[in-house]
Amino acid sequence: MKKIVLSFVCVFITCMVSHAQGVKFESGTWEEILTKAKTENKTIFVDVYTQWCGPCKHVSENVFPQEKLGEYYNSHFINFKIDAESSAGKEFVKTYPVTGYPTFFFIDGNGKVIHKMVGAKDANGFISEAKMIIMYARHGGIDNMMAAIKNGTADKELLYDYYTSASPKSKPEALNLYLKALPTEELIDENNKLIAEISLYDKDLMTRLIDEIVKASNDGRFSDGKYAEKFAFCIVFPVQYDITTFLRESIQEGNWEWFNELLQLKERFANYGGRIYKGGKLLDGDLNIIQGRGLFFATPEYNKLCYWTKNKVNEEEFKNTLVSYMDKLISENPVDSLIKEEHNPVLDMLKKEGLKGQMRLFAQHIFETGNITAHNIVAWTDYFWKLSPSNKKTKALCSKWINYAYNINRFNDKVAIPAADLLARIGNFKDAKIILEKAIASQKELKNENQKVYKPLELKLRDINNGKL
């Protein structure tokens, strides 16, 4: 009985070992391997090694025996090993030259090299390479695949494969090609997460996306509030974020043509039927621009002022635009602070309890409201001052704008210092001092105990009092 049990265990172990094998390499001549590959319509995986090569031994002893690699390679390829310094190996490398060991080839039944790689890899690396080879084979080889992409005849399946296999450098363009190949219902499907991956500007793609978004927002489907909300989150906001990103890049690069093209794309959203518009106006408004959503939600004048200031161009148009823009902004928003201090529960709580524990995080918007635009107004004013005569009229105008920038939110200590600096530079030490004193008092009002906030303000106030810039 024991012999029967032992025999059964041995057979079971033998079966398990046979099943759980790694990469199985075929024996025979190279000509026989080619014939088998052609007959079975399979690709040959060739390991070219030498006896003295350390990485070759590592791959042979530690990587090829792994079960997951064997499962993949044994089912998809005919696997073959050849010692480059054997007589057969020397003949092989005459046809298929190598520059280092180990070298691995993927070769079709006609002897054509599909892919070549040099150096050891782990199991996942070999599987990744194999998937790429299988993809090439599915589309008639890499040459046919790339030709179809180049001449515009590639279908969406080929383009998706190209995107998933593309190098990091090529992936942004590959993604755009794939998205452009999608039918409308797939392109703007709320489950299309690839919209959020766009990182390379493509005018045709962005135009189509915006037009289809606008069309979808007005065809009745937005009557379902849950659908409209998901669509906005998954499709609309990523596209708006892309426009913001590209606008910022066009400003950084000083590309006026691209910049204006993006402003035109932004205007295509004017008929969007979702909730980002109210009464024909963008909800954020120029005073409420926030990081991320940013320039998409700003007016064309706001964007142009950013462009001209960054690139120091169109001086006269910049000055004229800034004067009319600031007059309108201040007249339409005659506020001392965007933070409505009357009956503001967060402010009331801060003034009572101070910035303790979770309150700091909870009240973060108190400090950030108006931050982007306030800094931009200071930058625009600085440029305007440099371009204009240093007379009383200019000084008064610039002082008005700088004070307005700070008073957008008196609790934002990060605006106080650049605002005071600029006021001092134009000779208005009085207002510079007032802003710094107001900033310090505002932080004390919130019971802010962080000395890192107070110290820069106090040092700057000391410099202003001493008449130093």
Side-chain angles (χ1 to χ4, degrees):
M1 183 65 181
K2 289 182 178 178
K3 290 182 178 179
I4 294 174
V5 172
L6 182 61
S7 176
F8 173 79
V9 171
C10 291
V11 170
F12 178 77
I13 292 174
T14 301
C15 290
M16 288 296 293
V17 170
S18 176
H19 176 73
Q21 63 182 347
V23 178
K24 178 185 175 183
F25 289 93
E26 303 282 345
S27 59
T29 65
W30 176 240
E31 288 71 23
E32 291 170 339
I33 296 297
L34 281 172
T35 300
K36 184 173 183 178
K38 200 165 189 177
T39 302
E40 298 181 10
N41 193 28
K42 279 189 172 182
T43 298
I44 309 166
F45 169 68
V46 185
D47 170 19
V48 184
Y49 68 95
T50 66
Q51 297 291 336
W52 48 263
C53 168
C56 300
K57 292 179 181 178
H58 169 76
V59 171
S60 182
E61 295 173 3
N62 300 293
V63 181
F64 288 151
Q66 293 184 36
E67 181 180 356
K68 67 177 181 179
L69 188 58
E71 284 181 357
Y72 203 90
Y73 271 60
N74 296 340
S75 61
H76 291 96
F77 306 117
I78 293 172
N79 306 301
F80 184 66
K81 289 172 74 78
I82 189 164
D83 183 346
E85 295 181 339
S86 67
S87 57
K90 290 176 181 178
E91 289 300 314
F92 181 89
V93 297
K94 287 180 182 178
T95 306
Y96 307 100
V98 299
T99 56
Y101 299 100
T103 292
F104 306 98
F105 290 96
F106 291 90
I107 301 173
D108 67 19
N110 295 314
K112 181 182 178 181
V113 175
I114 301 172
H115 185 56
K116 173 184 175 181
M117 54 185 182
V118 180
K121 292 182 179 292
D122 60 14
N124 291 332
F126 277 108
I127 291 173
S128 177
E129 295 285 345
K131 288 180 178 179
M132 184 173 63
I133 298 308
I134 293 166
M135 178 198 69
Y136 290 157
R138 186 161 59 244
H139 299 293
I142 187 172
D143 292 340
N144 289 337
M145 182 177 172
M146 297 310 295
I149 293 170
K150 186 176 181 179
N151 61 33
T153 60
D155 58 23
K156 67 176 184 178
E157 285 76 20
L158 187 156
L159 290 170
Y160 181 75
D161 283 343
Y162 175 56
Y163 161 68
T164 57
S165 66
S167 67
K169 183 178 180 180
S170 302
K171 196 170 283 291
E173 182 180 7
L175 173 60
N176 288 350
L177 288 171
Y178 169 66
L179 290 173
K180 288 196 289 186
L182 291 178
T184 298
E185 61 272 15
E186 292 181 34
L187 177 66
I188 60 169
D189 186 288
E190 64 270 24
N191 294 311
N192 182 9
K193 294 180 171 38
L194 291 177
I195 292 290
E197 301 297 321
I198 295 173
S199 61
L200 180 68
Y201 177 68
D202 185 303
K203 182 183 178 181
D204 292 339
L205 174 60
M206 295 306 296
T207 301
R208 184 182 170 208
L209 276 168
I210 293 170
D211 289 348
E212 295 299 345
I213 285 170
V214 170
K215 189 185 300 181
S217 73
N218 289 285
D219 65 7
R221 71 183 84 175
F222 272 31
S223 58
D224 180 344
K226 289 185 177 179
Y227 173 83
E229 184 176 348
K230 186 176 181 181
F231 185 88
F233 183 78
C234 298
I235 305 297
V236 180
F237 290 163
V239 172
Q240 293 166 351
Y241 179 80
D242 288 337
I243 294 176
T244 287
T245 300
F246 297 141
L247 275 169
R248 191 164 55 242
E249 289 177 359
S250 71
I251 291 171
Q252 290 295 322
E253 294 179 16
N255 190 326
W256 181 250
E257 182 179 352
W258 183 22
F259 173 79
N260 277 286
E261 196 171 274
L262 288 163
L263 289 184
Q264 292 169 18
L265 283 174
K266 191 168 82 73
E267 286 304 305
R268 297 178 88 96
F269 261 103
N271 295 317
Y272 176 70
R275 298 175 182 176
I276 61 165
Y277 280 84
K278 184 178 181 182
K281 294 183 179 180
L282 288 167
L283 286 180
D284 284 9
D286 285 359
L287 284 178
N288 291 308
I289 296 300
I290 61 175
Q291 196 68 37
R293 284 154 67 89
L295 295 176
F296 175 85
F297 290 93
T299 60
E301 292 78 14
Y302 186 107
N303 279 282
K304 289 177 181 178
L305 289 169
C306 290
Y307 184 96
W308 292 327
T309 300
K310 170 64 179 177
N311 294 286
K312 305 295 185 290
V313 293
N314 290 49
E315 296 177 1
E316 290 305 314
E317 190 173 0
F318 163 78
K319 289 194 293 182
N320 293 333
T321 301
L322 182 59
V323 171
S324 60
Y325 176 85
M326 290 302 299
D327 283 347
K328 183 179 180 182
L329 185 69
I330 295 171
S331 65
E332 291 182 354
N333 302 277
V335 292
D336 289 331
S337 174
L338 283 177
I339 301 295
K340 303 304 179 184
E341 298 187 43
E342 293 182 6
H343 311 299
N344 186 313
V346 178
L347 267 176
D348 291 342
M349 195 177 301
L350 284 172
K351 292 175 182 179
K352 182 179 180 180
E353 300 182 11
L355 287 167
K356 298 177 181 178
Q358 293 296 319
M359 278 301 298
R360 184 178 297 275
L361 182 63
F362 182 64
Q364 192 64 29
H365 73 281
I366 295 290
F367 305 102
E368 293 180 353
T369 297
N371 184 51
I372 303 297
T373 296
H375 279 96
N376 278 332
I377 292 174
V378 172
W380 301 337
T381 305
D382 187 14
Y383 184 44
F384 183 90
W385 173 256
K386 292 173 181 176
L387 296 177
S388 307
S390 301
N391 53 34
K392 289 183 178 180
K393 182 180 178 181
T394 304
K395 179 179 176 180
L397 195 58
C398 289
S399 294
K400 178 182 177 181
W401 296 341
I402 300 166
N403 276 290
Y404 184 79
Y406 171 72
N407 285 308
I408 285 173
N409 179 4
R410 69 184 180 91
F411 298 104
N412 188 339
D413 61 285
K414 292 181 174 60
V415 177
I417 290 178
D421 264 338
L422 184 50
L423 283 168
R425 261 201 326 275
I426 68 176
N428 190 344
F429 287 88
K430 178 183 176 182
D431 282 358
K433 180 180 177 181
I434 291 172
I435 280 180
L436 292 167
E437 290 174 340
K438 189 174 181 180
I440 292 170
S442 296
Q443 295 304 310
K444 289 180 178 178
E445 191 177 348
L446 298 179
K447 294 183 172 63
N448 189 350
E449 298 176 356
N450 186 356
Q451 292 304 309
K452 291 183 179 179
V453 171
Y454 290 102
K455 189 171 182 179
L457 294 170
E458 290 168 348
L459 289 174
K460 184 59 63 176
L461 180 58
R462 182 197 66 188
D463 290 343
I464 297 296
N465 284 330
N466 292 333
K468 296 181 179 179
L469 299 183

